[in-house]
Every structure is written in C-alpha cells, then in structure tokens.
C-alpha cells in the first residue's frame, strides 16, 4: 500500500514553513490523507510501502491520524496542518476529537496525539500493537488521548554494593491522560483535564533501602524507570488554552516534570538514557503530586516562557491539602529560545531556569540551564547539556548542590537499513555534588557515564541494553567504581 502526496500539500507546507504562526491562523486546503512520521520530531515524512505497519493500517485511517509528538521539539507546521485543516462545526464542541490549538513548542509539550505504532520495527505487525492502536484511535474520537508505558527492567551491578545485593529486577508503569472537556472550534481554545497514574516496584527488594542508588551509596539512580513503590496519582489538573494558542494556564495537583525541563536528546521518559540524572536536571526542584499552578506562554515561534509554583512537601497517596503552607513552596521559571537553524547547525533549544524555594521556612534559590542542539542541518546526531547550582537551603530539597550532564545522541542510527526510526544510541557523562546540609560525604564529587541503545522490536515494544560506570558515589567508598548493566523492555501505547 503506497500513499502519494499531491502538489497542493507541498504548496501549503512551503507556506507554513516560512511562518509557523500563519499555519495556525490561516485555514489551508486539506491535503490528501497520508500516514505521517516525525522521526522523533526531527522532520516530517510521509510513510510509504513497507514502512507502514499493518498494525497502523488496521488501527486507524490516515485521515484519523494525530501524529505522536516529541516533548522538547517544536511540532512541525505540516503536523499542525494535519489536523487543524480538517473541517469542524463552528462553536463549542464537547469532547472534541481535534486537539486544542497551540503554538509549536507548547503543542509538543502538551499534546499526545493518537498514534502509538512505530514504522520499520523488526516485527512489522502483532496483535498487541494492532489492538493498542485501535483503542487509541477510538478514544481520541471522544477527546481522550494518552501516553501509556509499561516496562520490565533488570539491573545488575558490581563494584561495591553496600548491602550485598547486586540484582534488581523490577516492573514499572505510567499512564498520562488528556481529556478535552470542550473546544471552541472558531478559535481553537478550550479546556482539558490532565492526569498521571504511576506504579512499579522491585521484585524481592524495596527501592527505599535496597535499590541500586542506596546499594551504591550514590546520588544518581541508575534506574530511573522506578515509579513506585505504590500505585499513585501524580497529576490531576485542569488546563485552559487560549490567546490563539499562545497561552496555557493549569491548576491542580501537578507533576511539573511532565511540562518543564524537556530535552529532545535526554528526556524524562522511557526509551532514553536511563540514569535519573539525565532525565531531569538533578538540582532543579521540580515538584510532583503537589498542589499548585503552572503556565506556559509562547508569543512567537522562537521564544517561550513557562513557570510553576507549587507546594514541595507533599507525599504520594496522601491528602494534597494536608500540611499545605507557604513554609514549603517552590517557584520555577523556564525561559526558552527556539532556533530553527542555530549557527548553521540545525534546530536547537536553549533554556534558562531560575528558581526560588522555601523549605521548613528557610529560603533559597538557584539557576539551571538546559540546552539541546542538532549537530548538522540534516544530521541525526544531537548534543545535550544540563547544569546548574543551588544555594544550601534550596539544595536540601533535591539533595544536589550543583551538577552538570552532557552527551551525544544519535537518533534513528540505522534508519533506511531495516531498523526503526525510533532507534536511539546515546552516550552521557555526569558530575554532581551533594547538598552540604545532607553531608558529610565520603566523596565530594560523584561521576557517571552511560552508554545505551534502544531497538524497536515490534511497532509498540522496545528492548534497551544499557551499561553505566558510577565513580566515587558520595556515600560509597573512596576510589569506588561500580559497573551497572541493565536490560529494559518497554511497551508504549
């Protein structure tokens, strides 16, 4: 089965590529329906022939597709055109199937899409992928979109376990859901409900006292996929989108890691580098399961600002109103510069993240940075860097006073050779120091290296071998070096 784009689509894509804002404001003629693929947000490509999985064909029609987004990568104008150009009745529509209208960077951070099947997997079709795609498509017709992941992980380590345990099999799961309550089809604005449900634990061990991090005595957690110990609700909030898609306001029980500190090459999700330090800046006090407010504003395609203000003393599965007070509160801002072509290297995003926090009535603050840069206009190679510093009082919240992480990632490393576009080959380096108030420490400076590869086995399942070196864990032994090996199996629906 082969789908071909008609010339009007290219004309529309050329128009909106010059002005992404225009793509959201000016109705364009609808192109012929084709399946689109975004190659982890890098570029838009129509799928043809054997690239299209039978699970995708059986799960949705091309005209029903809302392409999967990549957080931290501005959504391409042609992807916005994919659904915004489709006809809809004027006025208010409840549980609308069409996503709310947002600027490109906001769209990538808050829209899930309704596509879970990846092309070019080793196994092109399986019943689980077909069923998952059918369910995802059916629910999206009623304004229900989601990102669901379930995984199994085995972690083994050598070189200095503090409690003698060296094997850590575990499971984990996460379900993030957006439900569009209503959409104004005349303006694209509307209201939606966001939620997150997490679960996961170890087999025959408790992460709190025998997990990889506590066994090594390290600040870093080599296995960031832990979601436990108990099933819990991390996010339940209402969000309004308006001002022509430029403004988002959210209030409720928040997990701010879902919306801030994204990075295309080292993100806070499965199928990336697995060490927790690469998922989010370790010294940035992002809160979860906390009552608060969040906003995002993108007045132009090249700039955005986000912020969150929320309690920082909440615990999972407890009343979020309990102990709510201004003596335990965190405020974080994120200013982002989005470049379509930075110095001829290709797309990049550069973020500045100042914050101010109060913990047990003691005030403190700090600042973080978060950079991502494609290395070549047509390259699949990218670079990331996160770093920052926190005052002694603010550092007590995260346990990290200062940190720096960097690395190189090759997306779609074997694309065109029978391997999936969802392949991921990453190499990361980290350094961090513990909060002074949480000391004393055996080692002042802690280091780590991680090498990982994600392979797409079925259209919705990946395998990920991973190896790490942990050097000088702060609560370990002097001169200690540990080797950590992992194999992770993730199902993404």
């Amino acid at each position: 089965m082969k789908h071909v784009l008609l010339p009007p689509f290219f004309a529309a894509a050329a128009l909106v590529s010059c002005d992404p804002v225009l793509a959201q404001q000016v109705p364009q003629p609808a192109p012929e329906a084709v399946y689109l693929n975004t190659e982890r947000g890098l570029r838009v490509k129509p799928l043809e022939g054997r690239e299209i999985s039978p699970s995708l064909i059986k799960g949705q029609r091309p005209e029903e597709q809302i392409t999967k987004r990549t957080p931290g990568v501005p959504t391409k104008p042609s992807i916005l055109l994919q659904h915004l150009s489709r006809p809809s009745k004027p006025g208010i529509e409840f549980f609308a199937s069409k996503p709310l209208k947002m600027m490109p960077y906001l769209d990538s951070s808050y829209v899930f899409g309704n596509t879970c099947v990846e092309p070019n997997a080793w196994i092109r079709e399986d019943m689980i992928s077909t069923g998952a795609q059918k369910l995802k498509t059916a629910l999206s017709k009623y304004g229900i979109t989601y990102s669901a992941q379930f995984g199994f992980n085995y972690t083994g380590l050598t070189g200095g376990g503090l409690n003698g345990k060296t094997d850590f099999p575990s499971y984990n799961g996460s379900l993030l859901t957006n439900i569009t309550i209503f959409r104004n089809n005349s303006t694209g604005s509307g209201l939606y409900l966001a939620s997150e449900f997490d679960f996961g634990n170890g087999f025959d061990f408790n992460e709190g006292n025998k997990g990889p991090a506590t066994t090594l005595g390290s600040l870093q957690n080599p296995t960031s996929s832990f979601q436990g110990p108990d099933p819990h609700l991390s996010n339940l909030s209402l969000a309004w989108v308006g001002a022509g898609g430029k403004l988002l306001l959210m209030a409720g029980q928040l997990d701010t890691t879902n919306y801030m500190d994204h990075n295309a090459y080292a993100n806070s999700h499965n199928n990336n580098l697995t060490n927790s330090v690469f998922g989010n800046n370790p010294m940035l006090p992002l809160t979860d399961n906390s009552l608060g407010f969040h906003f995002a504003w993108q007045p132009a395609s090249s700039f955005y600002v986000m912020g969150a203000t929320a309690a920082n003393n909440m615990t999972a599965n407890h009343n979020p109103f309990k102990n709510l007070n201004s003596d335990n509160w965190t405020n974080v801002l994120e200013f982002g510069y989005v470049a379509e072509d930075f110095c001829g290297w290709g797309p990049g995003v550069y973020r500045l993240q100042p914050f101010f926090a109060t913990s047990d009535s003691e005030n403190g603050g700090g600042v973080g940075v978060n950079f991502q840069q494609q290395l070549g206009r047509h390259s699949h190679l990218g670079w990331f860097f996160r770093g920052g510093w926190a005052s002694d009082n603010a550092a007590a919240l995260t346990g990290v006073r200062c940190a720096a992480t960097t690395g190189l990632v090759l997306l779609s490393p074997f694309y065109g050779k029978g391997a999936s576009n969802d392949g991921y080959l990453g190499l990361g380096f980290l350094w961090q120091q513990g909060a002074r108030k949480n000391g004393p420490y055996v080692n002042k400076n802690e280091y780590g290296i991680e090498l990982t590869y994600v392979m797409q086995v079925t259209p919705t399942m990946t395998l990920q071998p991973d190896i790490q070196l942990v050097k000088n864990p702060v609560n370990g032994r002097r001169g200690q070096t540990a080797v950590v090996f992992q194999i992770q199996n993730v199902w993404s629906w």
Side-chain angles (χ1 to χ4, degrees):
M1 181 175 181
K2 184 175 182 179
H3 301 273
V4 181
L5 290 175
L6 293 179
F9 174 78
F10 289 111
L15 174 65
V16 297
S17 65
C18 297
D19 190 346
V21 178
L22 184 64
Q24 301 181 71
Q25 295 177 343
V26 179
Q28 304 291 338
E32 181 189 9
V34 295
Y35 293 110
L36 295 181
N37 175 39
T38 60
E39 297 186 23
R40 283 195 181 235
L42 288 177
R43 55 191 62 82
V44 181
K45 179 183 181 295
L47 292 174
E48 298 182 347
R50 285 185 57 82
E51 290 181 319
I52 308 175
S53 166
S55 292
L56 181 60
I57 296 172
K58 296 175 182 178
Q60 68 178 197
R61 299 189 302 273
E63 60 269 20
E64 296 176 311
Q65 185 185 32
I66 305 172
T67 309
K68 182 187 294 185
R69 271 54 170 170
T70 302
V73 182
T75 303
K76 300 295 183 182
S78 51
I79 293 297
L80 296 173
L81 179 67
Q82 181 190 34
H83 56 80
L84 290 177
S85 62
R86 294 171 187 166
S88 57
K89 296 180 180 179
I92 301 296
E93 181 181 358
F94 290 93
F95 304 105
S97 60
K98 186 183 290 188
L100 299 177
K101 176 182 175 182
M102 300 188 202
M103 291 288 283
Y105 190 88
L106 303 190
D107 181 274
S108 73
S109 299
Y110 302 97
V111 175
F112 294 133
N114 67 356
T115 306
C116 62
V117 169
E118 292 287 345
N120 295 322
W122 288 3
I123 301 172
R124 296 183 63 237
E125 178 187 11
D126 67 289
M127 293 178 58
I128 293 177
S129 298
T130 302
Q133 185 58 71
K134 286 182 177 180
L135 178 62
K136 203 173 182 77
T137 303
L139 291 177
S140 71
K141 296 178 181 178
Y142 302 96
I144 303 172
T145 56
Y146 58 89
S147 173
Q149 291 186 319
F150 183 78
F152 299 92
N153 183 288
Y154 169 78
T155 302
L157 58 88
T158 62
L162 299 182
N163 54 27
K165 189 169 182 60
T166 59
D167 299 287
F168 303 90
S170 63
Y171 65 94
N172 64 88
S174 181
L175 173 63
L176 287 78
T177 305
N178 287 346
I179 302 176
T180 301
I181 298 175
F182 70 84
R183 185 184 195 273
N184 185 332
N185 288 329
S186 301
T187 63
S189 62
L191 185 74
Y192 73 91
L193 178 69
S195 66
E196 178 185 0
F197 179 75
D198 298 321
F199 62 92
N201 207 343
F203 293 105
D204 194 33
F205 75 93
N206 186 306
E207 183 195 2
N209 53 36
K210 288 187 179 180
T214 52
T215 297
L216 291 171
S218 61
L219 294 171
Q220 59 191 284
N221 182 1
T223 310
S224 62
S225 58
F226 281 116
Q227 303 287 349
D230 302 311
H232 61 282
L233 191 68
S234 298
N235 194 110
L236 184 63
S237 52
L238 279 173
W240 173 83
V241 179
K246 298 177 181 179
L247 181 64
L248 179 142
L249 301 175
M250 181 180 289
Q253 185 181 358
L254 299 177
D255 182 351
T256 50
T257 63
N258 290 338
Y259 314 116
M260 302 180 69
D261 197 37
H262 287 313
N263 192 298
Y265 301 111
N267 232 329
S268 53
H269 302 280
N270 284 319
N271 291 337
N272 280 259
L273 291 161
T274 67
N275 193 302
S276 61
V277 176
F278 297 117
N280 284 112
N281 194 327
M283 46 67 58
L284 195 66
L286 297 175
T287 58
D288 66 347
N289 189 51
S290 300
L291 287 180
F293 303 92
H294 168 62
F295 80 91
W297 178 54
Q298 187 177 6
S301 59
S302 60
F303 173 78
Y304 75 89
V305 60
M306 294 182 177
T309 177
N312 58 33
N313 62 336
M314 304 297 174
T315 56
N317 289 335
H318 286 76
N319 184 350
F321 292 94
K322 187 178 181 180
N323 299 324
L324 185 66
N325 59 74
S326 59
D327 293 334
N328 295 276
W329 205 265
T330 295
N331 307 282
V332 183
L333 288 172
E334 179 173 299
F335 301 92
Y337 167 63
V338 183
E340 291 186 12
D341 187 5
F342 186 78
C343 297
W345 295 344
V349 184
Y350 293 79
R351 308 168 181 88
L352 178 68
Q353 303 159 318
F355 62 88
F356 179 80
T358 302
S359 178
D360 294 330
S361 302
E362 295 186 337
N363 298 323
V367 63
V369 294
N370 178 343
F371 305 148
Q372 67 184 57
Q373 179 61 55
Q374 185 172 308
L375 299 179
R377 289 180 179 177
H378 306 291
S379 174
H380 287 219
L381 182 66
W383 165 77
F384 71 87
F385 176 84
R386 283 189 178 101
W389 165 88
S391 67
D392 290 341
N393 289 337
L397 284 170
T398 63
V400 180
R401 179 174 175 267
C402 49
T405 65
T406 190
L408 296 172
V409 170
L410 185 61
L411 300 178
S412 313
F414 304 114
Y415 186 74
K417 299 180 181 179
S420 168
N421 70 286
D422 201 36
Y424 176 101
L425 179 63
L427 176 65
F429 304 87
L430 70 92
W431 161 82
Q432 56 185 347
Q433 289 183 352
R436 289 176 177 174
K437 288 190 174 183
N438 296 5
Y441 302 107
V442 175
N443 297 299
K444 179 181 179 181
N445 296 293
E446 179 176 297
Y447 306 91
I449 302 174
E450 178 176 1
L451 177 64
T452 196
Y453 174 62
V454 179
M455 62 188 79
Q456 192 80 38
V457 179
T458 78
T460 56
M461 187 268 281
T462 60
L463 283 177
Q464 181 177 7
D466 179 275
I467 189 166
Q468 301 180 42
L469 293 179
V470 178
K471 177 69 175 176
N472 290 345
V474 293
N475 291 312
R477 299 189 303 271
R478 293 192 182 278
Q480 178 182 343
T481 300
V483 179
V484 182
F485 171 77
Q486 296 184 80
I487 184 74
Q488 184 168 240
N489 168 220
V490 177
W491 301 78
S492 301
W493 301 311

